[in-house]
Amino acid sequence: MELPEGGERTGSAVAAVAVLADDLRRGMYEFIRRARRPVGRDEAAAAVGISRKLAAFHLDKLVDAGLLCARFEPVGGIRKVGRTPKVYEPADTHIGVSIPPRRPDLLADVLLDAVLTEGEQETAAEAAMRTARERGHRLGTEERDRSRPGRLGAERTLTKAEDTLAGYGFEPDRETPTCVRLRNCPFHPLTAKSPELVCGLNHAFLRGFLAGLQARSVEAVLEPRPGECCVTLRTPPEP
C-alpha cells in the first residue's frame, strides 16, 4: 500500500467538508449514498425539494469536491429519445479532517504490514520498527528521486524535510539554521497510550526517511517535548 500524499489529502478533505456545509448539498449527498444505485438529477432534486437546474449546480459541486462520481447513463437502464441523462454515485473515498493533523491510518498501516511480514526471529515490536523504517526509507527515496540525484547537504536536507513532512502533519519549524523541530505528533493521542512504542516508530520512520534521502549531514534524534513530536532533525555537532 502506497503512502498517501499528506498535503493534498488534507486540502481535499477540508474542501470536501466545506462543500458539505451547505444543507442542500449535504441532503443530496446523503440521499445518493442511501440509494445504493445511480441517481439522476430529477430524483436528487425531488429528494431535497429544489429545481432540477439548481440540483445540477449543487451535484456538480459535489463531484468537483471528490464526493460524487458522475457519468451519462439511462436512468433505470431505459434508453429514451434525446440526450442521455447524467447520473451520480458516491465516490469510493474516505473523508476525514483533524485539527491539528493526525495520521492514525499511517500508523495502522505500518502495524498491519509488520504483522503480515514478521519474521521468525523478530518480536512484534522489532517487526514494527523495521516496517516503519522501511516506510520512511521509501518516502525519502521517492523525494530524492524527484530532485537532483546524489547526496544532499544539510541545508537542502532540512528544506526537503520541511516541505515533505509538512504534508504528513508534523508541522516542521526551523528552530535554528541547523535544527528542525516537529511541532505536531501525527500519531497523538495514541502516543499517550504507549509512548515508547509510538515514539520509537516515529523515530524509525524519520531515520528511514533521512536514509532514503541519502542525507549524511542530518540526523533524527529523540528530544521529547510536551505537546510536540518526540523527534528533532538536526545537523550533528562539530567534533
Side-chain angles (χ1 to χ4, degrees):
M1 189 178 297
E2 295 298 321
L3 289 169
E5 294 294 336
E8 293 179 5
R9 170 187 171 148
T10 300
S12 298
V14 171
V17 170
V19 167
L20 288 174
D22 183 278
D23 291 341
L24 291 174
R25 292 174 195 161
R26 187 169 64 254
M28 284 190 289
Y29 177 70
E30 291 173 350
F31 173 76
I32 292 170
R33 285 196 62 84
R34 290 195 302 270
R36 305 280 181 179
R37 56 176 171 75
V39 172
R41 288 174 173 174
D42 289 332
E43 190 177 0
V48 295
I50 59 176
S51 70
R52 183 181 188 278
K53 183 176 181 180
L54 184 56
F57 170 78
H58 287 303
L59 288 167
D60 287 342
K61 288 290 185 182
L62 291 166
V63 172
D64 292 341
L67 292 163
L68 294 180
C69 296
R71 67 178 185 275
F72 291 97
E73 178 183 286
V75 178
I78 301 174
R79 184 63 182 269
K80 298 180 179 180
V81 176
R83 185 179 179 182
T84 304
K86 185 181 282 190
V87 296
Y88 301 84
E89 292 179 294
D92 186 18
T93 57
H94 169 76
I95 303 297
V97 177
S98 176
I99 301 173
R102 304 299 186 204
R103 293 297 302 276
D105 57 331
L106 175 57
L107 181 60
D109 205 29
V110 166
L111 294 175
L112 179 61
D113 272 4
V115 170
L116 295 175
T117 64
E118 182 179 336
E120 293 183 1
Q121 304 302 318
E122 284 184 312
T123 64
E126 289 170 343
M129 298 298 173
R130 171 183 53 76
T131 304
R133 185 172 58 253
E134 291 171 352
R135 286 302 185 87
H137 192 280
R138 183 193 311 170
L139 177 62
T141 300
E142 291 172 353
E143 290 301 320
R144 177 171 52 84
D145 289 344
R146 290 192 181 102
S147 57
R148 296 193 300 271
R151 295 177 183 172
L152 303 181
E155 175 59 30
R156 284 189 63 208
T157 297
L158 292 174
T159 299
K160 176 66 73 173
E162 288 178 292
D163 293 342
T164 304
L165 298 179
Y168 285 82
F170 284 97
E171 295 185 350
D173 176 39
R174 186 72 71 97
E175 190 173 62
T176 70
T178 61
C179 174
V180 171
R181 288 289 311 181
L182 304 177
R183 300 297 184 184
N184 181 55
C185 175
F187 306 140
H188 184 83
L190 298 174
T191 307
K193 295 184 177 180
S194 182
E196 183 176 350
L197 174 61
V198 178
C199 288
L201 292 173
N202 218 342
H203 191 207
F205 176 79
L206 292 166
R207 289 180 65 189
F209 172 68
L210 293 177
L213 284 177
Q214 294 186 356
R216 303 294 179 87
S217 52
V218 176
E219 58 187 7
V221 296
L222 283 169
E223 292 182 355
R225 291 185 187 178
E228 298 185 3
C229 177
C230 55
V231 180
T232 298
L233 307 181
R234 63 169 69 250
T235 58
E238 293 292 336

